[in-house]
Amino acid sequence: MPDSSGAAAADQYAALPSGLTICFRDHGDRTDPAVLLVAGMGEDLTFWTEPFFAALVARGFRVVAIDNRDVGQSTFVTAPPPALWRQIVARPRGDAYTLADMAQDAVGVLDHLGIARAHLVGRSMGGMIAQTVAATAPERVLSLTSLYSTTGAKKVGQPALSTIRLLAAPPARNRTDAVRAHLRITRHIAGRGYPIDDAAEAAVAARGWDRSAGDPAAGVARQVQAIQRSGDRTAQLSRITAPTLVINGDRDLLVDPSGGTATVKAIRSAQHVVIPGMGHHVPEALVGPITQYISQHAARVGEGGNHVRIS
């Protein structure tokens, strides 16, 4: 994906005051309004895919995507991962970090780049992180788009038992196993209306494995407990004042659509888009519609919306 100079976007690194280093890529014209993309659990920044970056750049955005801590080229923390039993009963270790810590990482990248305010777009766990930024640092947020995410309340947004069984499988320990595991879970959660492209998804998974600076299984386990330690964030979400768009499919076997409904109820004046046939995945066929929703939402914001292109 080219940047504004025409060169391929490269990994860059922000050294944060916390001592962590967060990897990011910066796409598009630096004078355009900024969108910060925050990926889901276990996903590095390339899981957004180059067509997604390109579509947002074409719509008039500067697009910054980050590797969360414990994934990709960002810092893998040194704390031991929680045991499986802790994840099953939702009892995090005492040294677990939280979604608030991950939100500070995202704001730290904005600080590093000198971006005062950005449109936040997060999916799944990334949606939870983006929600947390909007709630705790409202002065940094132009708009919020929460994509197939939830509030942390126990009665909404829960995975199907069939998904839990798949996620309980032994973690991949090599590239081949990682690709197979990704294909298996993505086929399961992608939704009824949009079958996955096996070759494209295999490439995504292989690239993610190759980019990992640490143990992916340990990183995912620590991210799981970050969600669990953060608990029910409904009250926190009620403090969000940024214009908010919530997008989810009508059948999601990883984050039940009730999570999206609960998010809309929690955030004042949030708008809700339910895409028929979509699950917990952004197929190529939905890159155009989803980026158009994001662009139209951003254009409703006074600052930064005046030169965003809608087509």
Side-chain angles (χ1 to χ4, degrees):
M1 171 67 211
D3 63 16
S4 58
S5 69
D11 288 342
Q12 301 181 59
Y13 301 88
L16 306 186
S18 63
L20 273 62
T21 297
I22 300 298
C23 178
F24 67 92
R25 291 185 185 177
D26 194 356
H27 313 75
D29 191 325
R30 306 301 184 262
T31 65
D32 281 341
V35 169
L36 181 67
L37 298 180
V38 189
M41 186 173 65
E43 297 179 340
D44 75 356
L45 60 85
T46 68
F47 274 62
W48 288 103
T49 74
E50 292 195 5
F52 199 93
F53 295 138
L56 285 174
V57 170
R59 294 183 186 280
F61 293 106
R62 173 187 184 179
V63 182
V64 178
I66 64 172
D67 286 335
N68 292 310
R69 62 171 71 185
D70 268 328
V71 74
Q73 287 289 299
S74 289
T75 297
F76 278 65
V77 304
T78 56
L84 180 58
W85 72 266
R86 285 187 175 275
Q87 297 175 61
I88 292 172
V89 301
R91 184 178 294 179
R93 290 171 49 90
D95 55 5
Y97 56 79
T98 66
L99 293 171
D101 296 318
M102 301 180 84
Q104 290 178 358
D105 297 342
V107 172
V109 173
L110 296 180
D111 291 341
H112 175 83
L113 291 171
I115 297 173
R117 303 180 76 194
H119 299 282
L120 303 186
V121 179
R123 68 192 208 184
S124 197
M125 182 190 73
M128 302 175 200
I129 295 168
Q131 293 165 8
T132 305
V133 175
T136 60
E139 72 283 0
R140 308 303 298 272
V141 182
L142 287 168
S143 72
L144 167 65
T145 299
S146 180
L147 178 60
Y148 48 68
S149 192
T150 188
T151 64
K154 291 182 179 180
K155 293 185 178 180
V156 300
Q158 294 301 313
L161 287 176
S162 56
T163 305
I164 293 173
R165 294 189 192 100
L166 287 177
L167 294 175
R173 291 301 178 186
N174 57 60
R175 191 175 192 256
T176 299
D177 287 348
V179 170
R180 288 173 178 164
H182 175 75
L183 289 174
R184 184 166 57 250
I185 190 67
T186 306
R187 289 188 191 111
H188 182 69
I189 66 177
R192 292 171 172 168
Y194 298 92
I196 71 168
D197 180 330
D198 282 9
E201 290 301 324
V204 166
R207 184 168 57 242
W209 179 269
D210 293 343
R211 287 189 73 247
S212 182
D215 180 353
V220 168
R222 285 189 289 262
Q223 290 182 352
V224 168
Q225 73 172 356
I227 295 170
Q228 293 174 336
R229 188 176 179 191
S230 300
D232 184 349
R233 295 169 292 100
T234 302
Q236 182 187 66
L237 267 57
S238 70
R239 299 196 294 271
I240 292 176
T241 57
T244 298
L245 174 65
V246 174
I247 302 174
N248 55 262
D250 58 356
R251 182 174 182 265
D252 186 333
L253 296 179
L254 184 57
V255 176
D256 187 85
S258 58
T261 302
T263 303
V264 171
K265 289 180 179 178
I267 302 176
R268 187 180 309 165
S269 301
Q271 297 183 324
H272 196 189
V273 172
V274 178
I275 300 178
M278 186 179 84
H280 203 83
H281 183 246
V282 179
E284 185 174 354
L286 288 179
V287 167
I290 288 175
T291 55
Q292 184 171 21
Y293 285 131
I294 293 168
S295 180
Q296 290 172 331
H297 178 57
R300 297 186 185 102
V301 180
E303 180 181 353
N306 56 351
H307 63 297
V308 171
R309 294 185 287 276
I310 300 177
S311 58

